[in-house]
Amino acid sequence: MTRLELNILGCGSATMTPRHQPSCQVLNVRDNLMMIDCGEGAQLSARIMRIKLMRMNHIFISHLHGDHCFGLPGMISTMALLNRTASLTIHTFKDGAALFSQILDYFCRERPFEVRFNIIDTHKRVIHEDSAVTVTTFPLVHRVPAVGFLIQEKPKLRHIIGEEVNRLGIPHYAISALQHGEDWVTPEGIVIPNRQLTTDADPAISYAYCSDTKFSKRVIRNVEGVDWLYHEATYDDSLRIKARKRYHSTALEAATVAREAGVKQLILGHYSKRYLDETPLLDEARTIFPNTRLANEGLVIDLNQP
Amino acid sequence: MTRLELNILGCGSATMTPRHQPSCQVLNVRDNLMMIDCGEGAQLSARIMRIKLMRMNHIFISHLHGDHCFGLPGMISTMALLNRTASLTIHTFKDGAALFSQILDYFCRERPFEVRFNIIDTHKRVIHEDSAVTVTTFPLVHRVPAVGFLIQEKPKLRHIIGEEVNRLGIPHYAISALQHGEDWVTPEGIVIPNRQLTTDADPAISYAYCSDTKFSKRVIRNVEGVDWLYHEATYDDSLRIKARKRYHSTALEAATVAREAGVKQLILGHYSKRYLDETPLLDEARTIFPNTRLANEGLVIDLNQP
């Protein structure tokens, strides 16, 4: 299995508490790290979780509320102090790019690496693609422009059956074609079907991040069928009216999204500071979607095991 | 004794570590709080130390390096969420006022209180005065414009000897004059000397904050005779050349400032992340200035006991 891990650095809501940090996650895709949101204190949480900031080349900011981005200047300053040289791309709305580039140009002028801004908007759009994944934005429903992120692994290669390939004397240069599913044709013209030479590839995993948002049918459509869904659950359902007013969701609504979208696993987060124990949120969600778990600071989830 | 307490929220240097937070202190002057520097995570440290942010009306920023001010936007946003109404004054350089007012106007537009900026520069100057203290800036020697802060309690009132005042039937309206040292003249014209009616006032305490700075004779002159001196000691003296290059001080240099200035107590802080134990810095300083102690996160010092 290729590594695909979700690290929860922060899953609280706007007010910092000793129990929860503001929003921040790091997705480890085969040891390339991508950060999603960067609340105040992200750099410290990363250090405590032994997350290698130097292996992080992309940061995705869901929306411009402080609890989702105030950790950026400090973290980037620390990267500069640690003599990072690789460029870093921050995917954010236009206003965020303007404000943060100004802050960085003042406080972190002499950084030995380039900070690039990739301007996003609320359209559904592929905003990043590399050899392992694509990252697609889709609109959320919040007080300010906000997007969810859908991270999809690309189809993986089929596994070679070494013994068989050796027995037939298939040359190295042909291996890649086999991994992609092609048959092998011997010099004598005999076709060896791929299924005799390979086993199925590992499944390509998908993960969707939805925070902050009101319950929305459009969100359901956009996360349809994902393996893993992180959905905010700021409140329990007794506070549904407050949730709507503040453009947040309840645990039951998060579970409804998960169920209607047919996802495999749901992770709850972005808890209101009022909860000293989030078990009631978990219980509430599980009444309609059993495969639910709670995010918590320090949690590392192996996304290969949905 | 009137309350005068120094709370250490952060005493590390630029790179955050699990051991130290970036610079931040809160001075409690008779339950009015003043913050000095506001590194990232200050709001969380304040919450952990049960410091009431709502009783804080002044923030003094020594210089515009991120580890001394990146906690401002998050902390002020939290104050807004907690429905603060009292105005808050941030004493900072012109560039800081411009940058932070822009950030606050974007992320914390609807705050129910006023944030005022008092522009400071590197001149020696009284920048704040209230009924209890004066706050004076003085220049430090750092890579960017930086100031120290000298906080001086105003002379305190003499203590009334209640028994004697009652015995002589001195009316209430005359008490304030006695507290200020005046004699009492009876209706018959007899002068009762103040020393018969009062005892000495508690001493007015002074505290100086010097971080970040190179060793400087001018600093010595500016902190002469203070009761308490917080002086950065980023390095030990084996790294004196590195300290100079980076416009920082060694523990021995901090102690030299304390000794030459004739202060009563020295507090060391702003430790480089290289130290996993700061005892060597303490020992080094004590070789020439025994009344030295180490700052540490969570430490509360009663400044009435120099």
Side-chain angles (χ1 to χ4, degrees), chain A residues 14-18 21 40-44 47-48 64-66 69-71 73-74 77-78 81 95 99 102-103 106-107, chain B residues 14-18 21 40-44 47 64-66 69-71 73-74 77-78 81 95 99 102-103 106-107:
Chain A
T15 314
M16 264 173 127
T17 72
Q21 298 283 312
E40 184 177 357
Q43 60 161 321
L44 183 57
R47 188 164 277 234
I48 290 169
L64 295 172
H65 275 159
C69 59
F70 279 170
S77 300
T78 293
L81 288 170
D95 291 349
L99 282 162
Q102 216 179 343
I103 296 170
Y106 191 85
F107 287 101
Chain B
T15 314
M16 263 174 128
T17 73
Q21 298 283 313
E40 184 178 353
Q43 60 162 322
L44 183 57
R47 189 164 276 233
L64 295 173
H65 276 162
C69 59
F70 279 170
S77 300
T78 294
L81 287 171
D95 291 349
L99 281 163
Q102 216 179 341
I103 295 170
Y106 190 86
F107 287 101

Side-chain angles (χ1 to χ4, degrees), chain A residues 29-69:
Chain A
V29 185
R30 305 171 201 183
D31 289 325
N32 292 310
L33 309 184
M34 303 191 302
M35 185 174 271
I36 303 173
D37 283 340
C38 184
E40 184 177 357
Q43 60 161 321
L44 183 57
S45 302
R47 188 164 277 234
I48 290 169
M49 289 183 77
R50 299 178 181 279
I51 287 168
K52 294 180 181 151
L53 293 183
M54 296 313 210
R55 295 199 65 88
M56 191 169 82
N57 297 323
H58 291 272
I59 304 175
F60 300 91
I61 301 295
S62 64
H63 65 292
L64 295 172
H65 275 159
D67 58 321
H68 292 253
C69 59

Side-chain angles (χ1 to χ4, degrees), chain B residues 206-219:
Chain B
S206 54
Y207 170 64
Y209 174 90
C210 302
S211 185
D212 302 355
T213 189
K214 223 157 110 160
F215 173 79
S216 151
K217 289 195 173 159
R218 196 160 55 159
V219 169

Side-chain angles (χ1 to χ4, degrees), chain B residues 54-167:
Chain B
M54 297 313 211
R55 296 201 64 88
M56 190 169 82
N57 297 324
H58 291 272
I59 304 175
F60 301 90
I61 301 294
S62 63
H63 65 292
L64 295 173
H65 276 162
D67 58 319
H68 293 253
C69 59
F70 279 170
L72 277 174
M75 190 175 66
I76 292 169
S77 300
T78 294
M79 288 175 174
L81 287 171
L82 299 174
N83 285 315
R84 181 192 176 100
T85 53
S87 72
L88 175 73
T89 303
I90 301 174
H91 305 260
T92 183
F93 291 95
K94 195 175 153 197
D95 291 349
L99 281 163
F100 286 111
S101 66
Q102 216 179 341
I103 295 170
L104 293 176
D105 286 349
Y106 190 86
F107 287 101
C108 193
R109 242 175 311 235
E110 291 158 23
R111 57 185 181 268
F113 63 101
E114 190 191 352
V115 176
R116 296 176 189 159
F117 287 93
N118 178 33
I119 308 296
I120 64 174
D121 55 34
T122 53
H123 288 93
K124 184 170 181 166
R125 179 172 290 157
V126 173
I127 57 165
H128 171 66
E129 182 169 8
D130 60 31
S131 61
V133 295
T134 58
V135 180
T136 307
T137 49
F138 55 91
L140 300 178
V141 185
H142 199 45
R143 291 193 304 280
V144 297
V147 291
F149 299 109
L150 173 62
I151 294 110
Q152 294 169 293
E153 280 194 306
K154 292 188 171 173
K156 296 178 186 173
L157 298 177
R158 297 182 64 80
H159 297 288
I160 298 293
I161 302 171
E163 209 173 82
E164 194 66 6
V165 164
N166 287 339
R167 192 181 63 77

